[in-house]
């Protein structure tokens, strides 16, 4: 790929967005833009239609954002002038756009359908063949566990799959498992251990039967302290439990590990060092970023519990959104438009945070998943050539499912002093169509979704408050300014395919923002310093006085406090 035009784009210096004609025009536009959502909707009965687009099965209404047709036109010019679409094409075709690690960025290759044409060869590697080979092995293994053909060392069928991983090796599998619980095979559940706080391993395993537990150690690098430590804790739990409960003889320990431990990693040599049979390991590649890896073998727990067919549907959903992002015209390209609107909100309207509010209890881990995706990707202060960024980057992503959030933090979104753009997500079909007498409860739920986006957009004027009988100084507290930007994302139902589309949508939104800002959204050097220091602090934490004394006064005092107060 190195002599392809994409390689030149990957290596090209980033365009400073603030020097473009579009940026200048957007700044002027920001000062000149007049009106409010109330006025814009009144003036233009077609506004909702004009700003609503379909992307695969997602129906996305952008009309309640603080944008006019001219804003969108200028933002598209900004994308053009900063080379966003050329960079997109470089990504899809394997250009090394992850410059600080000199890597291709090819998560989109993980979900290309079998037999996709033309075949994708990158850096001399037949990517399609590699991907299909691993997917086939994962599906085959999943079927054996699901059917009971694969058993534990004592011959019992597997009932619980414990995924041990952290960051991208945890958040994606947890989020998808929680989202698609209704698709799980009866009698099979997944659990997840991520935190090095030993409480996590303890609580997750305390009521499990080692004879029916399969452990997946998921780590791209297979060096992550949390994951390796937890894997060792669970290995000890498993072997002790099998010895105690099933009388496992010491000479059968290796067989027990082979039957109860599998691994997912790009570092199969380290998997073998840990003692896991590499026949029971599934690989992936350096061109898959951790936070982009749920659709690789990192999703093995999902393929087992939800089934290989559901996993395939999930991948097909990702691919449908990849194709939309790759081929849809810019004016109707949803990830492009949403990424650009985020740039507008951050750089021109000075938004600092972004709420994601799924009206679906099953999506309760989606905001946490997006935090890694967006903040590890775009929380950067230098551009891909090492020069400082020229404008604010990143956004703080946060959220909770509606309606819980409504009774907690929506107050600040409605009436606080900061602008908080919010994405509302809902599905036409309930997973469980329950009724309270005659009342369909999903309808009550969705009425809240529609009401909140309406209230945020149009607010309530002082006159409207007075018309309800409130007077004097009490009016102000009951007024709602409106003009609080939201995007509404709807789909027919929360299926594996729709979930794949939703995840890929946010991957590409994140990409667009990074490309405009000129940053490498695919490295994460900012997580390294803390890891390094934690290792170096071990002797001090263990009580080495010289090591404690060598620390700064705050750190030394905190360690001393810990040492004095630890009682167990
Ligand atoms: O520390 C951050 C990070 O590197 C993430 O990017 C990654 O998803 C996570 O750690 C886990 O890494 P691994 O899969 O290599 O264990």
């Amino acid at each position: 790929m190195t002599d392809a035009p994409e390689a030149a784009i990957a290596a090209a210096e980033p365009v400073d967005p603030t020097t473009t004609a579009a940026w200048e025009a957007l700044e002027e536009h920001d000062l000149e833009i007049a009106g409010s959502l109330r006025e814009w909707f009144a003036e233009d009965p077609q506004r909702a239609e004009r700003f609503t687009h379909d992307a695969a099965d997602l129906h996305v209404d952008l009309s309640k954002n603080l944008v006019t047709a001219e804003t969108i036109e200028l933002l598209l010019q900004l994308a053009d002038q900063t080379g966003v679409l050329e960079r997109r094409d470089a990504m899809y075709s394997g250009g090394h756009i992850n410059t600080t690690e000199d890597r291709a960025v090819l998560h989109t290759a993980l979900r290309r359908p079998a037999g996709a044409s033309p075949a994708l060869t990158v850096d001399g590697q037949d990517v399609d063949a590699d991907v299909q080979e691993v997917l086939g092995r994962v599906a085959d293994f999943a079927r054996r566990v699901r059917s009971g053909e694969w058993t534990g060392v004592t011959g019992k069928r597997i009932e619980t799959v414990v995924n041990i991983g952290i960051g991208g090796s945890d958040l994606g599998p947890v989020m998808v498992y929680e989202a698609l619980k209704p698709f799980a095979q009866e009698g099979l559940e997944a659990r997840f251990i991520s935190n090095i706080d030993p409480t996590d391993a303890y609580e997750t395993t305390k009521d499990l039967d080692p004879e029916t537990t399969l452990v997946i150690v998921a780590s791209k690098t297979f060096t992550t302290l949390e994951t390796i430590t937890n894997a060792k804790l669970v290995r000890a739990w498993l072997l002790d439990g099998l010895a105690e409960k099933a009388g496992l003889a010491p000479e059968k320990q290796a067989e027990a590990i082979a039957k109860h431990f599998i691994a997912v990693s790009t570092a199969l040599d380290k998997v073998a060092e840990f003692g896991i049979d590499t026949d029971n390991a599934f690989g992936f590649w350096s061109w898959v970023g951790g936070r982009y890896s749920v659709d690789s073998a990192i999703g093995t727990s999902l393929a087992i519990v939800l089934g290989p067919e559901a996993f395939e549907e999930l991948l097909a959903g990702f691919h449908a959104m990849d194709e939309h992002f790759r081929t849809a015209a810019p004016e109707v390209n949803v990830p492009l438009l949403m990424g650009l609107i985020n740039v507008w909100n951050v750089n021109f309207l000075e938004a600092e945070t972004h709420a994601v509010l799924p009206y679906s209890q099953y999506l309760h881990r989606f905001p946490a998943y997006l935090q890694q995706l967006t903040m590890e990707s775009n929380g950067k202060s230098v551009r891909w050539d090492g020069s400082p960024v020229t404008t604010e980057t990143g956004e703080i992503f946060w959220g909770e499912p509606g309606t819980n959030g409504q009774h907690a933090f929506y107050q600040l979104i409605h009436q606080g002093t900061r602008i908080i753009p919010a994405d509302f997500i809902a599905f036409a079909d309930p997973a469980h169509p329950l009724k309270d007498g005659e009342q369909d409860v999903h309808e009550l739920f969705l009425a809240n979704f529609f009401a909140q986006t309406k209230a945020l957009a149009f607010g309530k004027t002082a006159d409207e408050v007075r018309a309800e009988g409130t007077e004097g100084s009490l009016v102000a507290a009951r007024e709602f300014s409106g003009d609080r930007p939201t995007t509404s994302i709807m789909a027919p139902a929360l299926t594996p395919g729709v979930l794949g589309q939703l995840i890929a949508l946010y991957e590409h939104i994140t990409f667009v923002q990074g490309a405009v800002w000129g940053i490498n959204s695919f490295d994460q050097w900012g997580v390294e310093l803390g890891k390094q220091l934690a290792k170096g602090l071990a002797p001090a934490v263990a009580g080495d006085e010289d090591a404690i004394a060598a620390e700064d006064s705050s750190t030394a005092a905190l360690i001393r406090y810990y040492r004095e107060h630890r009682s167990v």
Side-chain angles (χ1 to χ4, degrees), residues 418-430:
R418 298 165 204 275
I419 184 168
I420 301 180
D423 297 348
F424 281 72
I425 303 169
F427 303 96
D429 276 351

Side-chain angles (χ1 to χ4, degrees), residues 13-166:
E13 278 180 20
V15 174
D16 176 353
T18 66
T19 63
T20 61
W23 191 277
E24 201 180 316
L26 279 162
E27 274 177 337
E28 277 165 29
H29 176 70
D30 186 18
L31 298 174
E32 285 163 6
I33 198 167
S36 64
L37 285 169
R38 273 194 187 221
E39 286 164 13
W40 293 337
F41 272 89
E43 282 159 15
D44 178 6
Q46 309 300 317
R47 182 174 167 93
E49 202 182 313
R50 208 183 296 289
F51 288 95
T52 298
H53 308 288
D54 287 344
D57 297 314
L58 305 187
H59 182 72
V60 182
D61 179 356
L62 304 171
S63 68
K64 294 194 185 89
N65 281 285
L66 297 179
V67 294
T68 64
E70 194 190 347
T71 324
I72 297 291
E73 171 55 34
L74 292 173
L75 287 168
L76 288 170
Q77 287 176 21
L78 179 66
D80 188 40
Q81 291 166 18
T82 51
V84 173
L85 298 185
E86 288 82 354
R87 195 164 172 78
R88 170 199 65 186
D89 295 343
M91 173 175 75
Y92 277 77
S93 56
H96 283 208
I97 64 170
N98 177 353
T99 42
T100 58
E101 297 175 307
D102 191 18
R103 285 179 185 165
V105 173
L106 272 176
H107 43 277
T108 52
L110 295 169
R111 49 259 191 161
R112 279 162 57 90
S117 167
L120 184 61
T121 304
V122 175
D123 302 332
Q125 180 190 2
D126 182 343
V127 172
D128 288 333
D130 290 355
V131 167
Q132 291 304 324
E133 193 261 333
V134 174
L135 268 181
R137 287 184 57 226
V138 168
D140 184 49
F141 181 77
R143 285 195 186 97
R144 291 170 68 200
V145 176
R146 288 166 69 78
S147 68
E149 180 195 330
W150 179 283
T151 64
V153 68
T154 57
K156 289 197 178 164
R157 71 185 287 158
I158 299 299
E159 291 172 4
T160 308
V161 177
V162 176
N163 186 85
I164 302 178
I166 197 164

